[in-house]
Amino acid sequence: EEQIKTCCLWMIELEHVIKKDNEYVRWDAITEMDEHNRPIHTFQVCNVMEPNQNNWLRSNWISRQAAQKVYVELRFTLRDCNSIPWVSGTCKETFNLFYHETDEAHGVKFRPAQYTKIDTIAADESFTQMDLGDRILKLNTEVREVGPINRKGFYLAFQDIGACIALVSVRVYYKKCPFTLRNLASFPDTVPRVDSSSLVEVRGACVDHAEERDTPKLFCGADGDWLVPLGRCVCSVGYEEIDACRPGFYKAYAGNIKCSKCPPHSFSYGEASAICRCEKGFFRAEKDPPTMACTRPPSRPRNLMFNLNDTCLLLEWSPPSDTGGRRDLTYNVQCKRCGPEPDRCQQCEDELRFLPGPLGLTNATVTVVDFSAHANYTFEIESLNGVSDMSSFPRPVAIITVSPSLVGALKKDWASPNSIALSWQQPEQTTLPIIDYEVKYYEKVLKYSAYDSKAPSVIVSGLKPATWYVFSVRTRTAAGYSSYSPKYEYETTGDSSNMASDQGQVLVIVTAAVGGFTLLVILTLFLLITGSKLHKKQTARTPLHCIDYSLCLSTVPYPGIKTYVDPDTYEDPTQAVHEFTKEIDPSRIRIERVIGAGEFGEVCSGRLRTPGKKEIAVAIKTLKGGYVERQRWDFLREASIMGQFDHPNIIRLEGVVTKSRPVMIVVEYMENGSLDSFLRQHDGHFTVIQLVGMLRGIASGMKYLSDMGYVHRDLAARNILVNSNLVCKVSDFGLSRVLEDDPEAAYTTTGGKIPIRWTAPEAISYRKFSSASDAWSYGIVMWEVMSYGERPYWEMSNQDVILSIEEGYRLPAPMGCPVALHQLMLHCWQKERNHRPKFTDIVSFLDKLIRNPSTVLKNFFLPESPGEEMDYPMFISVGDWLDSIKMSQYKSNFMAAGYNTLDSVARMSIEDVRRIGVELIGHQRRIISSIQTLHLQLLHEHEKGFHV
Ligand code: ACK
C-alpha cells in the first residue's frame, strides 16, 4: 500500500566515489547470488582489521522533484563483530548516512565536509560466519527521513568507519497524496507539508458532465493519505455516473442516480436525455413529474342514467372505462333545453341549479333542481382529467335526454265508492323501452304510497268512500324514472260512515289494457299511517304530544349525574353484569314473535310481568346456544352498559336472564323499530317540527350519555329506536363490539372497524373518539332524518367519502330541509372538533326551534357562543315570509291571487301554489314545505292553550 500512496521515483545508481588520492575508494561493487541463486548487486566494505577507517560511498545527484521531504530506505547486511576473531577494538557494527543539497550535479567532485549527517545506521540483525556458511542472508531495512530539502537536488553519502557491510539497495522516495476521484471530483497529486501536523487543503474539480453541489475538498495528510472529504459533485442532467443515458432512458434530475427507463407512453431517441417525450395522443400536465407516465384524456362516462321526481333530477353515471391513466378525473355537465321544436335548443346551465355544481364534479352524480316540467332537457356529461386541455380532439361526452313529464294526464275510466279505474296515454316516443309505470296515490290529507304497474292503466280498490284522493303516475325505463304526471284528484262517492277500517288494506289491481300486456297483478299495500280520520289539527297534535313528553322530562335536571363505568375494567365480567343489571326470572317473560336477527341470536318481542305492576311490552335479545364464554360476555356487555343509564331517550334495560338458558337481555319495546327504516317507510309524512322533535330527543339522549362520559362511537339512525309516540331512543351499546357487528363498519387503514359515513375524520384517521366525534355523527343522523332515511353520501364509496370530507365537501341540505337545520349539521361537521356544538347546545337550540317554529323559516346562522340568545320574530306579512324563504319574486303573484294574510297562505295546497304562477318545481316545493311550518306556527299562535 505504501507503494501505491508513495511514489518510488528513483532507484539511485550507486557509484564508487572517486577521489584522486584513493583515500575513499574502499567500497567494492560486488555481484553475489542470493539464496535463490539470483544475482544481487551490492556495494561492500569490510576493513575490520584496521583501525581508523573512513570509507565513503556517494550516490549520484538526485533531483528532489516536488519533494520537500524525502525518505531513504536502506537494505543491507552487517557482519557480527563477535563472529570475527581478532578484531576487537577495530571492528564496528554501524555506518553513517549523510546528505548534501545542491542545485546541480557536481560530477565526481566530493568533499565530505559539505555533507550533513542524517543518522548512524545500526543493524537489527547481523550475520555470523555460520550464516555465511549456510548462505543465510540476514537483510536489514532501515528508513530515514531527510529534509526539508530546498535545493533542486541532493547527494547521499555512506560513511563506513570499520564495519563489514554489504549495501543491497537504496530507495529514495517522497510521499504524496496521489491523484484521486472522490465524489465525482478529481484531486491532483498533492505533496504533503513537511510539517506533519498540518494538512494541505485541496479543492477538487468536477469531472465532465458533473456539477458542483458543495465545493468538493480533500485534505492531504503528511503520510500521503487523503483525509476529510467535503462537498461533492453530482452528475448533470442526462448523465449517470458511468455514462450518458442511452436512448429509451432519461435522467431528469442532477444527482448520483441511474438513468431510468422512459415511463409508459413516452420515449427518448437520443443519448443523455433529460426527459422522455410523450407519444402521440399522450400528454404530460404542467405539474406532472418527468417520472410519471404520459397520460391522455379520459373516455366518455358510461351508463348515464337519470332518476326524476317532482323536484329533483338525479343524473348518475359510471366512470369512463379509460381514465387516461390519471386519477384527477372530474366531470362537467352541460345542459340544452329544447322546446317543442327539437332543433331550437338553448344552453341552460345558468337557469338550472346543479348540486354540488355543473363543473369539476368529482363524483359520478349530480342533482339538478329548478327545472321546468314542460321542457325537454339534454344533458351532456364530459369526463376530464389534467391533460384534457392539451388534446385538440373534441371531448367525448355521454348524452341523455330527459323529458320531465313523459306521461300525459290520468283519465278516470270508472269509479265506485271504494275503487277507481284509471288509465293514461302511453308515451309516444321514449328512447328506451318502458319497464313499468309507478302509480302514486294518497289521500289528500295524508300521503300514502306508490305502486308499480306494467300497463298504462290501473284499478285501485279499497278506497274510503267520500274521501279526496290524489293520483299520479310516472314511467320507468332502464335510465330511471320520469317525473310524475299532472296530479289527478278525485273524491270517492258514498257515505263516509261506511269507511274502510283505519288499518285497512288498499288493493291496487293492474290490468293489461294497452300495448299487448295480459297481466293481472293484485298487489297489496299496507297503509302505513294509522288514524286516517285525522283532521289537520289532530295530525299536528298527536306526534307533538310526544315531543312534549320528552321536553318535560329532560328539562328536569338529572340529580347528581353518575359517571359511566366501563365494564371491561372489571376483572370478572360477571361482576359488572351483577352490578349493573337485574336478573329476571324467565317465567315472567312471554316470548311472542321473532322481530329480527341480532348478531348473537334472534330478537323477539314479548311481554314481561312484574308482580304488582302492569305487564309491559318488551324486546328480548337472545344468545343462541353453542357460544363460548367470550361471546357470552360480549353479549352481556351491552346490558352492563345499558343498565347504567336512566333517561327517556336511552333504551331502557328491564333486566337479563343469565342463570338459565337461553341467556337473554330484556329491553323496553319500541313499536316502530329502528329510525332509518321507519323514516324510509314514511317518506314525507312528517312536518319539519315533528322531525325536529325526533332529533331533539336523540340530542337529549346523547347529552345524557356525554354528561356521563360515555362515547357512543356508532350513532346512526339505524341505532336509534322509535316507539309508538315517535319518541326516539339511542340504542346499540357495547363499545368496540358495536362496531364489529355494524354492517356499515368498514376496516380502516389503521386496522379498526369504523362506520365511515357516520364517523368524524379524526376518529377515522387516528381513532380519536369523543363526544365531539359523536356530535359529528349526530349531524349525519340529522341529515338522515331530514332526508327520510336517505343513505349519507348516497352511493359514494367509503374512500371517496373520506377524500371529499378531507377536501371540505359536506352533505347538502336534504330536500325541504330548512337552512337553520342544515346550518346546525354543518356546525356538527366542523373539521376542528372543539368547534362542534356540545349536545347541550344542540338540545337548547332545537328546544327554541320547537317552541318558536318560525325560526325554521328564517335563514339564520347559529350563534357564535352557546350562551347567545337567538331572537326569531314572527312574520307579520306574507311579504316578510316570502323574503325569509328567498321567494320574494312571487310577492305579486300571492297578492294578485288574494293571498294577503298568513292565515290564507297557510291553507294553500300545492295546486294553489301552481295556480298562482309558481312554475319551477323546486320553488313550489320550497314554498309548500314552508307553508307546513307556517301552518304549525299559526296553530301555535291561535290556540293559546296548545303548547309545543
Ligand atoms: O329495524 P327494526 O324493526 O328494529 O329491526 C331491528 C331488529 O330488531 C334487529 O335488531 C328490532 N329491535 C331491536 N330492539 C328493539 C326494541 N327494543 N324494540 C323493538 N324492536 C327492536 C330492530
Side-chain angles (χ1 to χ4, degrees):
E1 277 214 318
E2 184 83 349
Q3 285 292 347
I4 296 165
K5 283 187 251 162
T6 58
C7 194
C8 175
L9 288 177
W10 328 281
M11 282 298 295
I12 61 167
E13 186 193 324
L14 288 173
E15 59 184 36
H16 284 86
V17 177
I18 300 159
K19 188 119 195 326
K20 279 202 184 96
D21 56 9
N22 246 359
E23 195 182 342
Y24 307 116
V25 188
R26 302 289 279 273
W27 288 71
D28 300 311
I30 297 172
T31 299
E32 287 193 23
M33 294 299 178
D34 69 6
E35 61 262 48
H36 305 295
N37 267 338
R38 286 179 305 213
I40 40 173
H41 305 286
T42 67
F43 287 91
Q44 297 184 5
V45 63
C46 195
N47 295 328
V48 289
M49 299 296 194
E50 297 158 39
N52 305 321
Q53 291 297 308
N54 187 16
N55 307 317
W56 287 87
L57 179 70
R58 193 207 72 178
S59 72
N60 57 346
W61 186 78
I62 302 166
S63 161
R64 79 165 164 95
Q65 299 189 356
Q68 293 187 323
K69 183 161 79 175
V70 297
Y71 295 82
V72 180
E73 182 200 83
L74 307 174
R75 294 201 300 152
F76 60 94
T77 60
L78 201 121
R79 176 94 188 243
D80 180 358
C81 286
N82 293 329
S83 71
I84 313 170
W86 320 116
V87 293
S88 57
T90 51
C91 179
K92 302 283 182 311
E93 290 184 350
T94 60
F95 63 95
N96 298 320
L97 176 64
F98 288 79
Y99 81 108
H100 171 50
E101 291 183 55
T102 62
D103 284 327
E104 54 193 13
H106 287 162
V108 294
K109 214 168 68 191
F110 175 64
R111 276 189 275 137
Q114 295 173 327
Y115 282 69
T116 311
K117 183 169 172 181
I118 299 169
D119 205 358
T120 301
I121 310 291
D124 293 331
E125 292 196 78
S126 48
F127 68 92
T128 60
Q129 191 62 43
M130 219 152 50
D131 297 326
L132 272 179
D134 294 344
R135 294 180 52 79
I136 294 172
L137 202 62
K138 287 193 167 166
L139 204 58
N140 297 282
T141 304
E142 295 289 326
V143 179
R144 295 293 181 271
E145 281 179 29
V146 187
I149 296 173
N150 302 313
R151 299 278 172 87
K152 288 186 181 156
F154 60 95
Y155 290 100
L156 290 176
F158 308 88
Q159 182 195 30
D160 165 52
I161 47 169
C164 194
I165 314 161
L167 192 55
V168 177
S169 77
V170 176
R171 195 164 68 91
V172 180
Y173 59 88
Y174 68 90
K175 290 184 180 177
K176 65 175 182 180
C177 296
F179 169 89
T180 188
L181 287 171
R182 195 77 70 88
N183 291 338
L184 290 181
S186 64
F187 296 86
D189 281 341
T190 303
V191 180
R193 295 235 162 82
V194 181
D195 166 15
S196 57
S197 62
S198 71
L199 304 173
V200 184
E201 182 184 312
V202 184
R203 196 184 155 140
C206 290
V207 298
D208 287 349
H209 309 299
E211 54 201 59
E212 242 180 62
R213 269 296 125 82
D214 299 312
T215 310
K217 276 184 203 163
L218 279 177
F219 292 84
C220 179
D223 280 334
D225 297 317
W226 287 110
L227 306 169
V228 207
L230 295 176
R232 67 193 177 113
C233 301
V234 292
C235 289
S236 305
V237 160
Y239 288 86
E240 63 185 8
E241 247 183 62
I242 306 298
D243 219 343
C245 301
R246 287 173 287 141
F249 286 74
Y250 76 107
K251 187 166 162 266
Y253 305 107
N256 296 333
I257 44 168
K258 295 223 161 307
C259 297
S260 310
K261 215 167 175 311
C262 285
H265 304 297
S266 68
F267 61 90
S268 67
Y269 284 142
E271 292 205 325
S273 300
I275 195 158
C276 300
R277 284 171 48 201
C278 289
E279 286 168 12
K280 201 156 179 260
F282 287 84
F283 309 92
R284 200 171 263 131
E286 202 183 318
K287 288 196 177 144
D288 288 355
T291 46
M292 189 173 144
C294 292
T295 53
R296 62 178 166 190
S299 57
R300 67 168 57 80
R302 293 171 304 146
N303 308 328
L304 175 56
M305 311 246 288
F306 71 88
N307 203 329
L308 187 65
N309 67 25
D310 277 0
T311 49
C312 74
L313 165 68
L314 183 70
L315 294 174
E316 284 180 302
W317 57 92
S318 312
S321 53
D322 176 10
T323 58
R326 305 184 64 89
R327 294 201 194 158
D328 50 358
L329 189 66
T330 56
Y331 306 96
N332 286 346
V333 185
Q334 280 178 352
C335 163
K336 281 194 209 118
R337 185 160 57 84
C338 306
E341 295 150 50
D343 49 337
R344 293 188 59 192
C345 297
Q346 58 196 51
Q347 293 299 115
C348 48
E349 289 92 58
D350 294 342
E351 63 190 65
L352 301 186
R353 218 153 35 98
F354 293 85
L355 303 173
L359 302 178
L361 297 166
T362 48
N363 293 321
T365 174
V366 69
T367 303
V368 187
V369 290
D370 293 349
F371 52 83
S372 156
H374 308 294
N376 284 343
Y377 293 98
T378 299
F379 294 97
E380 293 183 356
I381 317 285
E382 61 181 16
S383 7
L384 295 100
N385 64 17
V387 296
S388 291
D389 286 342
M390 298 176 169
S391 168
S392 51
F393 288 105
R395 292 182 193 159
V397 292
I399 303 180
I400 199 163
T401 300
V402 180
S403 310
S405 79
L406 258 182
V407 180
L410 286 174
K411 188 163 80 48
K412 182 188 82 188
D413 293 335
W414 52 261
S416 75
N418 298 105
S419 44
I420 186 167
L422 298 166
S423 61
W424 53 91
Q425 192 68 42
Q426 175 121 315
E428 277 173 13
Q429 287 175 322
T430 54
T431 31
L432 292 165
I434 292 167
I435 297 169
D436 56 15
Y437 298 93
E438 186 190 64
V439 183
K440 181 173 78 169
Y441 69 101
Y442 49 91
E443 278 182 51
K444 209 170 167 186
V445 179
L446 279 176
K447 190 176 169 189
Y448 283 161
S449 202
Y451 220 81
D452 296 343
S453 154
K454 295 269 180 218
S457 66
V458 67
I459 299 172
V460 183
S461 65
L463 303 180
K464 284 180 282 177
T467 307
W468 275 100
Y469 283 92
V470 181
F471 300 86
S472 58
V473 63
R474 62 177 177 173
T475 57
R476 185 161 71 98
T477 67
Y481 282 108
S482 73
S483 75
Y484 281 105
S485 67
K487 292 205 166 96
Y488 174 76
E489 294 192 11
Y490 178 75
E491 186 181 18
T492 46
T493 54
D495 179 359
S496 61
S497 63
N498 200 17
M499 281 179 179
S501 81
D502 289 352
Q503 286 285 345
Q505 298 168 352
V506 176
L507 284 182
V508 181
I509 302 172
V510 182
T511 61
V514 185
F517 291 101
T518 53
L519 190 66
L520 177 71
V521 190
I522 301 180
L523 300 155
T524 308
L525 267 180
F526 290 92
L527 295 190
L528 298 172
I529 287 281
T530 59
S532 52
K533 279 183 272 178
L534 290 176
H535 335 123
K536 286 178 188 169
K537 202 155 102 181
Q538 284 170 311
T539 326
R541 183 170 285 173
T542 310
L544 283 173
H545 167 72
C546 35
I547 294 166
D548 257 353
Y549 166 74
S550 59
L551 264 181
C552 299
L553 278 173
S554 60
T555 45
V556 179
Y558 310 109
I561 207 146
K562 292 183 295 180
T563 308
Y564 160 75
V565 182
D566 181 357
D568 278 318
T569 56
Y570 279 71
E571 238 172 61
D572 175 10
T574 346
Q575 183 61 33
V577 179
H578 188 72
E579 190 156 338
F580 298 124
T581 67
K582 274 188 292 186
E583 182 72 27
I584 298 179
D585 187 332
S587 65
R588 287 169 46 207
I589 302 168
R590 189 172 78 240
I591 295 181
E592 283 173 341
R593 62 192 174 90
V594 175
I595 54 172
E599 200 217 346
F600 295 95
E602 277 112 8
V603 182
C604 306
S605 65
R607 315 285 296 175
L608 175 70
R609 274 185 297 105
T610 309
K613 283 193 187 162
K614 229 176 102 190
E615 206 183 54
I616 56 162
V618 286
I620 304 139
K621 293 189 177 188
T622 57
L623 174 62
K624 57 176 174 266
Y627 54 82
V628 295
E629 196 48 34
R630 167 88 213 158
Q631 287 166 314
R632 183 174 181 272
W633 165 235
D634 279 344
F635 177 70
L636 288 173
R637 181 198 281 119
E638 175 165 32
S640 321
I641 294 169
M642 230 189 300
Q644 299 182 46
F645 305 140
D646 179 15
H647 187 273
N649 296 104
I650 305 290
I651 195 85
R652 190 179 67 252
L653 177 75
E654 294 298 341
V656 291
V657 177
T658 60
K659 302 215 163 97
S660 61
R661 301 286 168 275
V663 174
M664 294 187 251
I665 297 175
V666 182
V667 298
E668 66 178 311
Y669 184 63
M670 301 292 283
E671 292 80 355
N672 282 313
S674 44
L675 178 61
D676 61 334
S677 50
F678 173 69
L679 288 172
R680 283 197 277 269
Q681 287 161 20
H682 296 78
D683 192 357
H685 278 198
F686 304 109
T687 62
V688 168
I689 292 298
Q690 283 177 306
L691 297 177
V692 172
M694 295 179 195
L695 288 173
R696 195 264 174 213
I698 302 166
S700 174
M702 288 309 297
K703 171 178 159 14
Y704 174 83
L705 292 181
S706 69
D707 286 348
M708 275 189 76
Y710 179 81
V711 178
H712 191 289
R713 295 175 176 225
D714 198 10
L715 179 59
R718 66 183 168 279
N719 291 332
I720 304 291
L721 291 167
V722 189
N723 72 9
S724 56
N725 287 327
L726 296 193
V727 175
C728 291
K729 306 200 180 195
V730 181
S731 84
D732 260 75
F733 303 96
L735 299 162
S736 53
R737 190 199 57 74
V738 171
L739 301 176
E740 285 310 318
D741 64 13
D742 186 337
E744 280 297 345
Y747 284 102
T748 62
T749 45
T750 46
K753 220 184 168 197
I754 285 175
I756 301 292
R757 284 154 214 273
W758 283 263
T759 305
E762 75 276 5
I764 296 175
S765 13
Y766 52 99
R767 300 187 68 76
K768 177 74 202 147
F769 286 95
S770 60
S771 291
S773 65
D774 277 352
W776 177 291
S777 313
Y778 179 82
I780 303 289
V781 172
M782 284 187 74
W783 192 90
E784 293 185 273
V785 169
M786 297 315 292
S787 61
Y788 283 93
E790 180 70 86
R791 180 170 168 73
Y793 310 96
W794 307 277
E795 295 319 311
M796 274 165 79
S797 70
N798 280 343
Q799 199 49 39
D800 285 348
V801 170
I802 294 171
L803 288 176
S804 51
I805 289 296
E806 190 55 46
E807 282 166 21
Y809 173 81
R810 296 292 183 269
L811 282 167
M815 209 52 75
C817 170
V819 177
L821 290 174
H822 188 233
Q823 290 287 340
L824 177 55
M825 295 176 203
L826 294 173
H827 206 38
C828 292
W829 301 328
Q830 303 234 34
K831 188 175 171 59
E832 172 54 58
R833 67 174 188 280
N834 296 323
H835 293 171
R836 294 174 203 151
K838 303 277 172 292
F839 282 110
T840 178
D841 306 331
I842 299 176
V843 172
S844 60
F845 173 80
L846 296 179
D847 278 349
K848 286 191 179 115
L849 215 87
I850 294 166
R851 288 202 196 97
N852 189 353
S854 64
T855 51
V856 276
L857 298 170
K858 286 268 302 173
N859 199 1
F860 69 90
F861 290 85
L862 286 174
E864 287 302 317
S865 64
E868 206 176 310
E869 260 305 307
M870 288 177 288
D871 188 22
Y872 310 116
M874 291 289 287
F875 301 105
I876 44 161
S877 72
V878 175
D880 283 350
W881 167 69
L882 286 170
D883 289 342
S884 79
I885 57 168
K886 299 237 173 329
M887 293 280 107
S888 318
Q889 67 268 43
Y890 297 113
K891 277 184 195 168
S892 53
N893 304 48
F894 277 78
M895 297 306 138
Y899 292 102
N900 41 24
T901 65
L902 287 176
D903 275 317
S904 59
V905 169
R907 280 190 288 274
M908 285 175 85
S909 69
I910 186 128
E911 290 307 324
D912 298 330
V913 174
R914 277 185 199 141
R915 208 172 32 246
I916 65 168
V918 179
E919 275 194 11
L920 292 177
I921 294 170
H923 292 180
Q924 293 168 4
R925 177 83 181 209
R926 194 183 305 177
I927 290 170
I928 276 296
S929 101
S930 307
I931 285 176
Q932 278 191 323
T933 320
L934 188 62
H935 174 80
L936 211 81
Q937 181 191 337
L938 293 173
L939 272 178
H940 175 68
E941 280 292 292
H942 292 176
E943 301 173 28
K944 287 295 174 205
F946 181 88
H947 60 98
V948 177

